[in-house]
C-alpha cells in the first residue's frame, strides 16, 4: 500500500499584489472612494455635531469657571508678569483635565442608565462569511513561545466557529536573524493544524518599522483578502469576536475600520495589577463617552482592529516626511494618522466596546516609560500633520489631544516653577489662588470625579460588583490606587518632560523589543533613571523649608519625586503583586476566554 506523501508546508502563499500609493498631506485632498452616505448616516452627522458642541461648551465652562476664580485671587494686589504667565498656563491645563472629566461624565450617564450597554459580546449572525480575512501579527524580537501560544489559541477559537477556513494568519517578523530559527520552528509546529492557515515571513530590512512591515504585506498579498485583523505581539481575541466583526464589515460597506477596546490581561507584577484594575474600573465610562462623541471619526490604536484592505491600501500609504526628526522622517505614531486618512477618503471609522479582546501591559514603571518615549516622539510629530489637507476636524482634534498628552507635562512643571518664582518675587501667589474654595472644589471634582463615578457604576450591578471583589474590594483598591497615582504622577510628568526635551533636541527613539515580563527591580537598578527626579525633589524640599505655605502645596510633588525610585522598585515585583492580590487588592473580572499556553520553540 503506497504511503501518502505529506504536502510541504508553505512559508507564504502565492503573491496577490495590490497598489498602496504614498499619500500627500498638502495640496488638494484626494477624492472620496468610499460608498456614498445614506440618509440615516446624514441624520446621524447632525446629531454628532450637537454632541460635539455640547462637549466643547461644557469643557470651556469648567475651564473658564476655574480660571476666573484664579484670576480674582491673583489680581487682588494688581497685575504682574507672573500673574499673566500663570493665567496663560492655567486655562489650557485646566481645560485638559476638564475635557477628560466631561467625557467620563457623559460615559457614566450612558452606562448607568443603560443607554449604552457597555462592554458586550459582539452579535454573531447565522451567516457564512463571503470575504477572506488575514490575521496579521507583526513581531520584533519577541518571546517566541508566548507569541505562538497566543496564535495557537486564536487559531483554535477560529476553528471552533466553523468558519476558520475564511481566515489566514500571518506572522510578520521584523526580528533579527538570530531569532529566525526559533520562529520558524514554532511556525512549523503549528502550521500543519487544520483550520486557519498559518504563514511566516521575516524581513531582512526593517523599512518603516511596523507600518512599513504591514505595507509590505499589503503590496505583496493584500489583493487576496477583503479584511485584515491588525494585532500586536501581545494581542489576544476570541474567534466569536473576530467572526462577528467580519460579519459587521460585510453588512456595512461604508466602514473601513472597527477598533476594539482591549482589556488588560496577564498581569503579574504589582504595577501591572494596578494598571489592569485602573483600566478595567475607570476605563469603561471614559471609553463610552469617547465612543459617544467620536462616532464615525473614531481613532485607531494600531492593534485589535479589523480593517478593510482595499480602503486601507488606497488611503494609508505613508510617506517619509521631509526634514529631520522629530517632525521629519518615518511617521512613528502611524495609527491615528491612518484613521484620519481613511476618513479623508469618506470611509467610516468606528470604535466598539466588545468582550473578548485583550492585550498586555508593561510590567514596570520603567518599561512603561520606555514605551511612552516612542509614543511621545510620534505624537509630537502629529503637530506637523494637524493642518493636513482634507482631514476631518475631529481627526485634527484627536491628533492635538495625542500631542497634548505629552506637552502638558512640561506645562505643569513650568506652572509649578512659575508658582515658586512668584512666591519669592512677592504678590498674591499661586498657592492663595489655587487653594481658594471655588478652585479647590472644582479641582477635586475634575480629578477624582471620574474615579467616584466609576465606583458607583461598578457597585450598581451585583455581578459586576462581585467581579471586582465586592464593595470592600473596590474601596480598598481605590484607596491604594489614589495615593499611588498622586505620588507617581510628578515622576511620570518629569520623565515625559525629559523625553520631550530630548526629542526636540533630535535624539531619536530606539526600536528595541518590548519587555513584557519582570522578576523585580532593585532600587540600585532603577536609580540611574531617577537622578533628575531626586535632584528636583531635594530642591523642592529646600523650597518647602524657606516657604512653608508653598511647601505644603507642593508636598505631593516633592514626596513623589523623592520616592520615585522606591515606587518603581516596589511595584516591579511579581511576588509583591501576588501578595496584594491574595489580600483582595486590584481584583478584576476574569477573562471570558482562557489565557493561552506558551508553545515551546
Amino acid at each position: 500500500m503506497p504511503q501518502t506523501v505529506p504536502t510541504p508546508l508553505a512559508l507564504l502563499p502565492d503573491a496577490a499584489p495590490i497598489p498602496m500609493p504614498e499619500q500627500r498631506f498638502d495640496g488638494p485632498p484626494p477624492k472620496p472612494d468610499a460608498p456614498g452616505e445614506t440618509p440615516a448616516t446624514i441624520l446621524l452627522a447632525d446629531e454628532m455635531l450637537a454632541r460635539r458642541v455640547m462637549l466643547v461648551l461644557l469643557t470651556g465652562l469648567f475651564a473658564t469657571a476655574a480660571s476666573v476664580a484664579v484670576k480674582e485671587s491673583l489680581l487682588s494686589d494688581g497685575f504682574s508678569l507672573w500673574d499673566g504667565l500663570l493665567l496663560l498656563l492655567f486655562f489650557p491645563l485646566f481645560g485638559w483635565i476638564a475635557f477628560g472629566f466631561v467625557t467620563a461624565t457623559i460615559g457614566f450617564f450612558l452606562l448607568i442608565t443603560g443607554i449604552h450597554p457597555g462592554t458586550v459580546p459582539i452579535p454573531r449572525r447565522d451567516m457564512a462569511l463571503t470575504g477572506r480575512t488575514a490575521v496579521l501579527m507583526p513581531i520584533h524580537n519577541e518571546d517566541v513561545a508566548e507569541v505562538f501560544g497566543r496564535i495557537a489559541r486564536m487559531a483554535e477559537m477560529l476553528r471552533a466557529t466553523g468558519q476558520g477556513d475564511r481566515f489566514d494568519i500571518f506572522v510578520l517578523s521584523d526580528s533579527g536573524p538570530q531569532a529566525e530559527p526559533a520562529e520558524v520552528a514554532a511556525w512549523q509546529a503549528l502550521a500543519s493544524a487544520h483550520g486557519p492557515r498559518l504563514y511566516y515571513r521575516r524581513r531582512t530590512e526593517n523599512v518603516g518599522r511596523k507600518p512599513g512591515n504591514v505595507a509590505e504585506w499589503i503590496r505583496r498579498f493584500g489583493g487576496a483578502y477583503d479584511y485584515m485583523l491588525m494585532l500586536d505581539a501581545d494581542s489576544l481575541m476570541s474567534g466569536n469576536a473576530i467572526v462577528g466583526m467580519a460579519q459587521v464589515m460585510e453588512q456595512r460597506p461604508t466602514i473601513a475600520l472597527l477598533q476594539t477596546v482591549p482589556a488588560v490581561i496577564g498581569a503579574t507584577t504589582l504595577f501591572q495589577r494596578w494598571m489592569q484594575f485602573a483600566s478595567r474600573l475607570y476605563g469603561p465610562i471614559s471609553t463610552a463617552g469617547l465612543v459617544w462623541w467620536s462616532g464615525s471619526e473614531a481613532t485607531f490604536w494600531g492593534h485589535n482592529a479589523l480593517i478593510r484592505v482595499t480602503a486601507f491600501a488606497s488611503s494609508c500609504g505613508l510617506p517619509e516626511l521631509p526634514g529631520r526628526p522629530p517632525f521629519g522622517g518615518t511617521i512613528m505614531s502611524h495609527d491615528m494618522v491612518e484613521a484620519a486618512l481613511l476618513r479623508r477618503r469618506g470611509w467610516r471609522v468606528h470604535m466598539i466596546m466588545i468582550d473578548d479582546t485583550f492585550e498586555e501591559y508593561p510590567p514596570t514603571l520603567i518599561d512603561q516609560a520606555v514605551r511612552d518615549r516612542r509614543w511621545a516622539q510620534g505624537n509630537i510629530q502629529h503637530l506637523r500633520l494637524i493642518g493636513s489637507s482634507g482631514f476631518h476636524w475631529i481627526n485634527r482634534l484627536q491628533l492635538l489631544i495625542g500631542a497634548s498628552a505629552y506637552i502638558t507635562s512640561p506645562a505643569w512643571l513650568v506652572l509649578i516653577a512659575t508658582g515658586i518664582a512668584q512666591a519669592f518675587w512677592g504678590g498674591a501667589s499661586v498657592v492663595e489662588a489655587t487653594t481658594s474654595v471655588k478652585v479647590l472644589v472644582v479641582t477635586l471634582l475634575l480629578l477624582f470625579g471620574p474615579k467616584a463615578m466609576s465606583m458607583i457604576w461598578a457597585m450598581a450591578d451585583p455581578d459586576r460588583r462581585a467581579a471586582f471583589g465586592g464593595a470592600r474590594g473596590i474601596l480598598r483598591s481605590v484607596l491604594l490606587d489614589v495615593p499611588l497615582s498622586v505620588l507617581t504622577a510628578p515622576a511620570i510628568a518629569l520623565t515625559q518632560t525629559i523625553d520631550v526635551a530630548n526629542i526636540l533636541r533630535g535624539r531619536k527613539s530606539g526600536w528595541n523589543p518590548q519587555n513584557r515580563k519582570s522578576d523585580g527591580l532593585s532600587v540600585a537598578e532603577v536609580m540611574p533613571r531617577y537622578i533628575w527626579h531626586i535632584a528636583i525633589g531635594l530642591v523642592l524640599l529646600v523650597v518647602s523649608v524657606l516657604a512653608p505655605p508653598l511647601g505644603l502645596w507642593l508636598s505631593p510633588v516633592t514626596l513623589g519625586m523623592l520616592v520615585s525610585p522606591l515606587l518603581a522598585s516596589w511595584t516591579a515585583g511579581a511576588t509583591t503583586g501576588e501578595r496584594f492580590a491574595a489580600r483582595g487588592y486590584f481584583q478584576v473580572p476574569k477573562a471570558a476566554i482562557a489565557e493561552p499556553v506558551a508553545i515551546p520553540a
Side-chain angles (χ1 to χ4, degrees), residues 88 206 210 220 246 285 328 333 402 408:
L88 188 65
N206 307 144
K210 179 181 175 180
R220 287 181 65 186
I285 66 170
S333 292
T408 52

mmCIF file of all heavy atoms in Angstrom, residues 88 206 210 220 246 285 328 333 402 408:
data_model
loop_
_atom_site.group_PDB
_atom_site.id
_atom_site.type_symbol
_atom_site.label_atom_id
_atom_site.label_comp_id
_atom_site.label_asym_id
_atom_site.label_seq_id
_atom_site.Cartn_x
_atom_site.Cartn_y
_atom_site.Cartn_z
ATOM 1 N N LEU A 88 -1.966 82.217 31.662
ATOM 2 C CA LEU A 88 -1.741 81.664 30.327
ATOM 3 C C LEU A 88 -1.571 80.150 30.388
ATOM 4 O O LEU A 88 -2.023 79.420 29.491
ATOM 5 C CB LEU A 88 -0.501 82.310 29.705
ATOM 6 C CG LEU A 88 -0.212 81.985 28.237
ATOM 7 C CD1 LEU A 88 -1.316 82.524 27.335
ATOM 8 C CD2 LEU A 88 1.131 82.563 27.826
ATOM 9 N N ASN A 206 14.214 46.336 7.898
ATOM 10 C CA ASN A 206 13.035 46.796 8.630
ATOM 11 C C ASN A 206 12.654 48.213 8.226
ATOM 12 O O ASN A 206 12.653 49.139 9.050
ATOM 13 C CB ASN A 206 13.286 46.716 10.139
ATOM 14 C CG ASN A 206 13.754 45.340 10.581
ATOM 15 O OD1 ASN A 206 14.560 45.215 11.468
ATOM 16 N ND2 ASN A 206 13.255 44.297 9.936
ATOM 17 N N LYS A 210 6.837 49.125 12.057
ATOM 18 C CA LYS A 210 5.602 48.334 11.943
ATOM 19 C C LYS A 210 4.746 48.755 10.746
ATOM 20 O O LYS A 210 4.274 47.884 9.997
ATOM 21 C CB LYS A 210 4.792 48.436 13.236
ATOM 22 C CG LYS A 210 3.481 47.657 13.172
ATOM 23 C CD LYS A 210 2.680 47.783 14.453
ATOM 24 C CE LYS A 210 1.326 47.105 14.328
ATOM 25 N NZ LYS A 210 0.519 47.218 15.575
ATOM 26 N N ARG A 220 2.257 42.928 -1.305
ATOM 27 C CA ARG A 220 2.577 41.586 -1.818
ATOM 28 C C ARG A 220 1.375 40.656 -1.815
ATOM 29 O O ARG A 220 1.185 39.869 -2.745
ATOM 30 C CB ARG A 220 3.698 40.961 -0.979
ATOM 31 C CG ARG A 220 5.068 41.546 -1.214
ATOM 32 C CD ARG A 220 6.103 40.826 -0.347
ATOM 33 N NE ARG A 220 6.259 39.421 -0.728
ATOM 34 C CZ ARG A 220 7.011 38.550 -0.041
ATOM 35 N NH1 ARG A 220 7.628 38.943 1.061
ATOM 36 N NH2 ARG A 220 7.110 37.309 -0.458
ATOM 37 N N ALA A 246 -16.124 40.614 11.393
ATOM 38 C CA ALA A 246 -16.113 40.427 9.937
ATOM 39 C C ALA A 246 -17.530 40.471 9.374
ATOM 40 O O ALA A 246 -17.765 41.011 8.281
ATOM 41 C CB ALA A 246 -15.428 39.109 9.590
ATOM 42 N N ILE A 285 -16.243 54.073 31.596
ATOM 43 C CA ILE A 285 -17.031 55.301 31.474
ATOM 44 C C ILE A 285 -16.360 56.289 30.531
ATOM 45 O O ILE A 285 -17.030 56.985 29.757
ATOM 46 C CB ILE A 285 -17.335 55.941 32.846
ATOM 47 C CG1 ILE A 285 -16.063 56.454 33.530
ATOM 48 C CG2 ILE A 285 -18.069 54.976 33.761
ATOM 49 C CD1 ILE A 285 -16.341 57.306 34.757
ATOM 50 N N GLY A 328 10.329 65.234 11.052
ATOM 51 C CA GLY A 328 10.539 64.590 9.774
ATOM 52 C C GLY A 328 10.806 63.105 9.932
ATOM 53 O O GLY A 328 10.793 62.559 11.037
ATOM 54 N N SER A 333 3.912 57.368 15.197
ATOM 55 C CA SER A 333 2.570 57.040 15.690
ATOM 56 C C SER A 333 1.622 57.068 14.495
ATOM 57 O O SER A 333 0.871 58.017 14.280
ATOM 58 C CB SER A 333 2.139 58.023 16.778
ATOM 59 O OG SER A 333 2.917 57.859 17.935
ATOM 60 N N GLY A 402 -3.571 63.842 21.281
ATOM 61 C CA GLY A 402 -2.441 62.932 21.429
ATOM 62 C C GLY A 402 -1.148 63.656 21.721
ATOM 63 O O GLY A 402 -0.361 63.241 22.578
ATOM 64 N N THR A 408 1.529 68.658 27.917
ATOM 65 C CA THR A 408 1.019 69.151 29.195
ATOM 66 C C THR A 408 1.977 68.855 30.352
ATOM 67 O O THR A 408 1.981 69.574 31.351
ATOM 68 C CB THR A 408 -0.358 68.534 29.522
ATOM 69 O OG1 THR A 408 -0.275 67.110 29.408
ATOM 70 C CG2 THR A 408 -1.425 69.068 28.597
#
